[in-house]
Amino acid sequence: MKLSGEWLKNLETEDKLAVGILLSIGIFLIVIISSFQHIPGPIYGGDFYMARGFTQAILNGQPVWNDPYYQGNYAYYGWLSYLFTASVVRLTGLGLEKASVMLPAFLHLAYLFACYLFGSALFKSKKYGLFLMLTAFSFKIIDMKLSGHLAAIFMLFSLYCFVRYEQVGRGESGKKTYGIAMGIFMGLTALAHINLFFGLIVLIVGAIG
């Protein structure tokens, strides 16, 4: 309890606001999504059901690098979100349908938190971090597409680490850590969604140039 109290005491006002807002949004999203009986997608299928099928293939024992569409071929898309969902199903015992419905709520909180960190670092002000987080939520209350959502989280953490890497002076503590973390998050972005990874490369190259 003492550690918890010290941790809260060390938080700045904007950090406390961010935590409170994220908790409120989390409760709001879980209340809404818990009422869903199935994946909220078109009845004829679409990306949501494709992702469900790919996740089921992993749960059935198929290697992540194999294409569930064409037997014997390699997957040409980012498979990390399907592996992530399958891992959650195995670890928690949730059904795939329920996990596919509930996970987006928790991922959205991570996405909004990443927006807060990135905005705070980019503009060197946590007030702008709060503004970016609330703006992101107002534009998209939730995103049920796991692959794009997971990639967007890793993409934002990559950009956050890039900004912090540029802000920390050469030889100062933390610069190397931010550089390594950026590389890791960029790799995770590529494994989650290749299109967003190419967009990330363009943003970073443009910023450096």
Short mmCIF file of all heavy atoms in Angstrom, two decimals, residues 34 36-37 47 79 81 88 92 97 118-119 126 129 143-144 150 157 161-163 167 180 184 187-188 197:
data_model
loop_
_atom_site.label_atom_id
_atom_site.label_comp_id
_atom_site.label_asym_id
_atom_site.label_seq_id
_atom_site.Cartn_x
_atom_site.Cartn_y
_atom_site.Cartn_z
N SER A 34 -19.41 -6.12 -23.53
CA SER A 34 -19.84 -7.34 -22.84
C SER A 34 -21.23 -7.78 -23.27
O SER A 34 -21.61 -8.94 -23.06
CB SER A 34 -19.80 -7.13 -21.32
OG SER A 34 -20.68 -6.08 -20.95
N PHE A 36 -22.17 -7.82 -26.42
CA PHE A 36 -22.09 -8.40 -27.76
C PHE A 36 -22.17 -9.93 -27.67
O PHE A 36 -21.52 -10.56 -26.84
CB PHE A 36 -20.78 -8.02 -28.44
CG PHE A 36 -20.66 -6.56 -28.82
CD1 PHE A 36 -19.51 -6.08 -29.42
CD2 PHE A 36 -21.70 -5.68 -28.57
CE1 PHE A 36 -19.39 -4.74 -29.77
CE2 PHE A 36 -21.59 -4.34 -28.91
CZ PHE A 36 -20.44 -3.87 -29.50
N GLN A 37 -22.95 -10.52 -28.54
CA GLN A 37 -23.10 -11.97 -28.58
C GLN A 37 -22.17 -12.62 -29.60
O GLN A 37 -21.94 -13.82 -29.55
CB GLN A 37 -24.56 -12.33 -28.90
CG GLN A 37 -25.56 -11.82 -27.89
CD GLN A 37 -25.31 -12.34 -26.49
OE1 GLN A 37 -25.10 -13.53 -26.30
NE2 GLN A 37 -25.30 -11.44 -25.51
N ASP A 47 -13.21 -8.99 -42.93
CA ASP A 47 -11.92 -9.10 -42.24
C ASP A 47 -12.04 -9.69 -40.84
O ASP A 47 -11.15 -10.42 -40.39
CB ASP A 47 -11.26 -7.72 -42.15
CG ASP A 47 -10.72 -7.26 -43.50
OD1 ASP A 47 -10.66 -8.08 -44.43
OD2 ASP A 47 -10.37 -6.07 -43.62
N TRP A 79 1.00 -11.71 -38.94
CA TRP A 79 0.26 -12.75 -38.20
C TRP A 79 0.28 -12.54 -36.69
O TRP A 79 -0.29 -13.33 -35.93
CB TRP A 79 0.84 -14.13 -38.50
CG TRP A 79 2.35 -14.19 -38.50
CD1 TRP A 79 3.16 -14.19 -39.61
CD2 TRP A 79 3.23 -14.22 -37.36
NE1 TRP A 79 4.49 -14.23 -39.22
CE2 TRP A 79 4.56 -14.26 -37.86
CE3 TRP A 79 3.02 -14.22 -35.99
CZ2 TRP A 79 5.68 -14.29 -37.03
CZ3 TRP A 79 4.13 -14.25 -35.13
CH2 TRP A 79 5.44 -14.29 -35.66
N SER A 81 -1.17 -10.48 -34.57
CA SER A 81 -2.45 -10.31 -33.87
C SER A 81 -3.19 -11.64 -33.72
O SER A 81 -3.85 -11.87 -32.70
CB SER A 81 -3.34 -9.30 -34.61
OG SER A 81 -3.67 -9.77 -35.90
N VAL A 88 -4.02 -15.60 -25.89
CA VAL A 88 -4.96 -15.18 -24.84
C VAL A 88 -6.01 -16.27 -24.61
O VAL A 88 -6.36 -16.58 -23.46
CB VAL A 88 -5.65 -13.85 -25.23
CG1 VAL A 88 -6.80 -13.54 -24.29
CG2 VAL A 88 -4.64 -12.71 -25.23
N THR A 92 -6.21 -17.99 -20.92
CA THR A 92 -7.36 -17.63 -20.08
C THR A 92 -8.48 -18.65 -20.11
O THR A 92 -9.32 -18.67 -19.21
CB THR A 92 -7.94 -16.27 -20.53
OG1 THR A 92 -8.44 -16.39 -21.87
CG2 THR A 92 -6.87 -15.19 -20.48
N GLU A 97 -14.57 -16.74 -29.73
CA GLU A 97 -15.56 -15.71 -30.04
C GLU A 97 -15.54 -14.61 -28.98
O GLU A 97 -15.54 -13.41 -29.31
CB GLU A 97 -16.96 -16.34 -30.11
CG GLU A 97 -18.01 -15.46 -30.75
CD GLU A 97 -17.96 -15.48 -32.27
OE1 GLU A 97 -17.33 -16.38 -32.84
OE2 GLU A 97 -18.55 -14.58 -32.88
N PHE A 118 3.04 9.49 -26.71
CA PHE A 118 3.59 10.07 -27.92
C PHE A 118 3.35 11.58 -27.98
O PHE A 118 4.25 12.36 -28.28
CB PHE A 118 3.00 9.38 -29.15
CG PHE A 118 3.41 10.01 -30.45
CD1 PHE A 118 4.74 10.10 -30.81
CD2 PHE A 118 2.45 10.52 -31.33
CE1 PHE A 118 5.14 10.68 -32.01
CE2 PHE A 118 2.83 11.11 -32.52
CZ PHE A 118 4.17 11.20 -32.86
N GLY A 119 2.12 11.99 -27.69
CA GLY A 119 1.79 13.42 -27.71
C GLY A 119 2.59 14.20 -26.69
O GLY A 119 3.06 15.31 -26.96
N LYS A 126 2.55 17.37 -21.37
CA LYS A 126 1.56 16.33 -21.10
C LYS A 126 0.14 16.80 -21.35
O LYS A 126 -0.76 15.99 -21.55
CB LYS A 126 1.73 15.81 -19.67
CG LYS A 126 3.03 15.06 -19.48
CD LYS A 126 3.17 14.46 -18.09
CE LYS A 126 4.45 13.65 -18.00
NZ LYS A 126 4.63 13.02 -16.68
N GLY A 129 -0.43 15.80 -24.67
CA GLY A 129 -0.62 14.35 -24.66
C GLY A 129 -2.06 13.99 -24.35
O GLY A 129 -2.66 13.12 -25.00
N ASP A 143 -11.95 0.22 -32.04
CA ASP A 143 -11.64 -0.43 -33.31
C ASP A 143 -11.64 -1.93 -33.06
O ASP A 143 -10.86 -2.44 -32.28
CB ASP A 143 -10.26 0.03 -33.80
CG ASP A 143 -9.95 -0.47 -35.21
OD1 ASP A 143 -10.69 -1.34 -35.71
OD2 ASP A 143 -8.96 -0.01 -35.79
N MET A 144 -12.55 -2.64 -33.73
CA MET A 144 -12.69 -4.07 -33.50
C MET A 144 -11.71 -4.90 -34.33
O MET A 144 -11.61 -6.11 -34.16
CB MET A 144 -14.12 -4.51 -33.82
CG MET A 144 -15.18 -3.88 -32.96
SD MET A 144 -15.00 -4.23 -31.18
CE MET A 144 -15.28 -6.00 -31.14
N LEU A 150 -3.47 -3.53 -33.08
CA LEU A 150 -2.21 -3.94 -32.44
C LEU A 150 -1.03 -3.25 -33.12
O LEU A 150 -0.11 -2.76 -32.45
CB LEU A 150 -2.07 -5.45 -32.51
CG LEU A 150 -0.99 -6.09 -31.63
CD1 LEU A 150 -1.28 -5.85 -30.16
CD2 LEU A 150 -0.88 -7.59 -31.91
N PHE A 157 4.27 3.45 -30.15
CA PHE A 157 5.39 3.26 -29.22
C PHE A 157 6.72 3.42 -29.96
O PHE A 157 7.69 3.92 -29.38
CB PHE A 157 5.30 1.89 -28.55
CG PHE A 157 4.39 1.86 -27.35
CD1 PHE A 157 3.31 1.00 -27.31
CD2 PHE A 157 4.61 2.70 -26.27
CE1 PHE A 157 2.45 0.97 -26.22
CE2 PHE A 157 3.76 2.69 -25.17
CZ PHE A 157 2.68 1.82 -25.14
N CYS A 161 9.43 6.25 -28.92
CA CYS A 161 10.84 5.96 -28.65
C CYS A 161 11.75 6.75 -29.60
O CYS A 161 12.83 7.20 -29.18
CB CYS A 161 11.10 4.46 -28.83
SG CYS A 161 10.34 3.43 -27.55
N PHE A 162 11.31 6.94 -30.84
CA PHE A 162 12.10 7.73 -31.79
C PHE A 162 12.22 9.19 -31.33
O PHE A 162 13.31 9.77 -31.35
CB PHE A 162 11.45 7.67 -33.18
CG PHE A 162 12.05 8.64 -34.16
CD1 PHE A 162 13.32 8.45 -34.68
CD2 PHE A 162 11.34 9.76 -34.58
CE1 PHE A 162 13.88 9.35 -35.57
CE2 PHE A 162 11.88 10.66 -35.47
CZ PHE A 162 13.16 10.46 -35.97
N VAL A 163 11.10 9.76 -30.91
CA VAL A 163 11.11 11.15 -30.43
C VAL A 163 12.00 11.28 -29.20
O VAL A 163 12.82 12.21 -29.11
CB VAL A 163 9.67 11.62 -30.11
CG1 VAL A 163 9.69 12.98 -29.40
CG2 VAL A 163 8.85 11.73 -31.39
N GLN A 167 15.46 13.41 -28.59
CA GLN A 167 15.50 14.45 -27.56
C GLN A 167 16.64 14.25 -26.57
O GLN A 167 17.16 15.22 -26.02
CB GLN A 167 14.16 14.49 -26.82
CG GLN A 167 13.00 15.03 -27.65
CD GLN A 167 11.67 14.88 -26.95
OE1 GLN A 167 11.54 14.13 -25.98
NE2 GLN A 167 10.65 15.59 -27.44
N ILE A 180 17.08 0.92 -28.91
CA ILE A 180 16.79 -0.52 -28.95
C ILE A 180 15.29 -0.77 -28.90
O ILE A 180 14.75 -1.59 -29.65
CB ILE A 180 17.50 -1.23 -27.77
CG1 ILE A 180 19.02 -1.17 -27.95
CG2 ILE A 180 17.03 -2.68 -27.66
CD1 ILE A 180 19.80 -1.67 -26.75
N ILE A 184 12.73 -2.72 -31.58
CA ILE A 184 11.84 -3.83 -31.19
C ILE A 184 10.40 -3.53 -31.60
O ILE A 184 9.71 -4.38 -32.19
CB ILE A 184 11.93 -4.09 -29.68
CG1 ILE A 184 13.32 -4.64 -29.32
CG2 ILE A 184 10.83 -5.05 -29.22
CD1 ILE A 184 13.58 -4.73 -27.84
N GLY A 187 9.85 -3.78 -35.31
CA GLY A 187 9.73 -5.18 -35.73
C GLY A 187 8.36 -5.75 -35.42
O GLY A 187 7.77 -6.47 -36.23
N LEU A 188 7.83 -5.42 -34.24
CA LEU A 188 6.49 -5.89 -33.86
C LEU A 188 5.42 -5.28 -34.77
O LEU A 188 4.44 -5.96 -35.12
CB LEU A 188 6.21 -5.53 -32.40
CG LEU A 188 7.04 -6.28 -31.36
CD1 LEU A 188 6.81 -5.69 -29.96
CD2 LEU A 188 6.71 -7.77 -31.37
N PHE A 197 3.66 -0.70 -41.17
CA PHE A 197 5.11 -0.70 -40.99
C PHE A 197 5.78 0.17 -42.06
O PHE A 197 6.67 0.97 -41.75
CB PHE A 197 5.65 -2.13 -41.07
CG PHE A 197 7.15 -2.20 -41.10
CD1 PHE A 197 7.90 -1.89 -39.98
CD2 PHE A 197 7.81 -2.58 -42.26
CE1 PHE A 197 9.29 -1.95 -40.01
CE2 PHE A 197 9.20 -2.65 -42.30
CZ PHE A 197 9.94 -2.33 -41.17
#
